[in-house]
Amino acid sequence: MINFHILTLFPDLFEGFLKESILARAQKQGLVKINVCNLRDWGVGKHHQVDDSPYGGGTGMVLMMEPVDLAVKEITKDWIPKKNRKILLTPQGKIYNQKKAGDLAKYEDILLICGRYEGFDERIRGLVDEELSIGNYILNGGEVAAMAVVESVFRLVPRVLTKEEATRIETFHDGLLEYPQYTRPEDYYGKMVPSVLLSGNHAKIEKWRNEQAIKKTIEKRPDLLDGRED
Ligand code: ADE
């Protein structure tokens, strides 16, 4: 069981995402809970203000400390110490990867704060345990990054994937790329399915898949083999 809390100025962005197949199923089964929080609910004054112009001048608006601080305090008020993680999504964060997903899957509560590209008050960084980036490119905000974290973490929570879904992944060596897969037709205008897959010889198929996964990883992502992507 894992609870995600997403703090965002754009809660509607998550609507379709939360209805997606395996994530919808996991929520129905009570294995994952997702609490999308609208930062504007903690906005200041009668206009629920959440951003303001930067000290020192310059263009654009800066996300204010107060709404984020109040939101974090309220969302985390009943949390059990040590079983939770507060994360800010920002291009300044540590690059996210599969190992990090595995670490996060062990927590009970995860707060994902979606930053805005125009900027946020530097003091907001002091409210979180860590900052994460999903890659070396700039998004308009942390929402898509938060979805990437939710999707990669929840599928690692025990019982979220069916036995069949999990076995297919686990029988394969950790850290290798997937072996090539094919489905009907056997011959697509001369592009053939490898004959070993039609042989019915399971030991031979297993061996071929192993070899192909290693070959593919060496060719396409050699960095995965020596842990360089960390
Ligand atoms: N916000 C904007 N760009 C981002 C990125 N690459 N990762 C995480 N959060 C972001």
Side-chain angles (χ1 to χ4, degrees):
M1 172 69 191
I2 191 163
N3 299 304
F4 291 98
H5 308 261
I6 300 166
L7 189 58
T8 171
L9 279 171
F10 301 95
D12 291 353
L13 284 177
F14 292 87
E15 252 175 46
F17 172 70
L18 297 180
K19 289 187 206 138
E20 179 262 340
S21 61
I22 302 177
L23 187 49
R25 184 181 77 196
Q27 288 174 94
K28 273 197 207 108
Q29 290 173 321
L31 299 169
V32 178
K33 253 203 216 143
I34 303 183
N35 172 26
V36 180
C37 303
N38 189 345
L39 180 59
R40 200 158 290 278
D41 294 346
W42 289 272
V44 177
K46 82 168 186 280
H47 297 296
H48 295 276
Q49 189 183 353
V50 290
D51 52 13
D52 209 339
S53 46
Y55 276 121
T59 53
M61 297 290 271
V62 175
L63 205 58
M64 294 157 74
M65 171 70 166
E66 186 175 344
V68 182
D69 184 34
L70 294 177
V72 171
K73 283 200 173 96
E74 189 171 331
I75 294 166
T76 64
K77 68 180 187 299
D78 299 323
W79 282 13
I80 301 160
K82 296 202 178 121
K83 292 196 170 173
N84 61 75
R85 205 80 183 144
K86 292 181 285 225
I87 296 166
L88 180 66
L89 283 322
T90 156
Q92 292 188 25
K94 197 164 174 246
I95 299 288
Y96 184 66
N97 61 18
Q98 188 63 29
K99 181 180 176 301
K100 187 81 216 170
D103 294 345
L104 291 179
K106 297 182 185 114
Y107 289 99
E108 281 181 9
D109 287 283
I110 296 177
L111 171 63
L112 299 168
I113 302 176
C114 304
R116 276 278 104 195
Y117 169 56
E118 284 198 21
F120 44 82
D121 192 301
E122 189 69 14
R123 291 167 289 191
I124 290 172
R125 297 187 197 280
L127 300 173
V128 300
D129 300 308
E130 65 184 319
E131 298 176 28
L132 292 178
S133 162
I134 61 160
N136 293 326
Y137 40 81
I138 307 293
L139 303 165
N140 284 335
E143 283 76 10
V144 168
M147 288 182 209
V149 171
V150 169
E151 185 150 323
S152 51
V153 171
F154 93 90
R155 58 196 294 289
L156 302 177
V157 170
R159 293 182 294 126
V160 161
L161 296 184
T162 62
K163 253 212 170 96
E164 205 183 315
E165 287 162 348
T167 332
R168 211 178 70 75
I169 295 160
E170 278 162 18
T171 46
F172 248 71
H173 310 276
D174 255 357
L176 287 185
L177 297 181
E178 274 271 20
Y179 53 78
Q181 301 224 70
Y182 298 86
T183 187
R184 274 185 282 271
E186 211 177 298
D187 177 351
Y188 187 74
Y189 302 106
K191 293 188 193 304
M192 307 297 292
V193 172
S195 57
V196 60
L197 299 176
L198 311 168
S199 69
N201 182 334
H202 291 295
K204 238 169 113 183
I205 292 171
E206 182 74 359
K207 183 167 173 281
W208 181 85
R209 286 179 165 166
N210 256 295
E211 290 163 359
Q212 290 294 314
I214 294 165
K215 185 165 168 266
K216 234 181 203 290
T217 312
I218 291 170
E219 276 170 17
K220 292 185 156 177
R221 293 292 310 275
D223 57 308
L224 292 177
L225 295 170
D226 56 17
R228 258 186 287 154
E229 54 118 29
D230 274 348

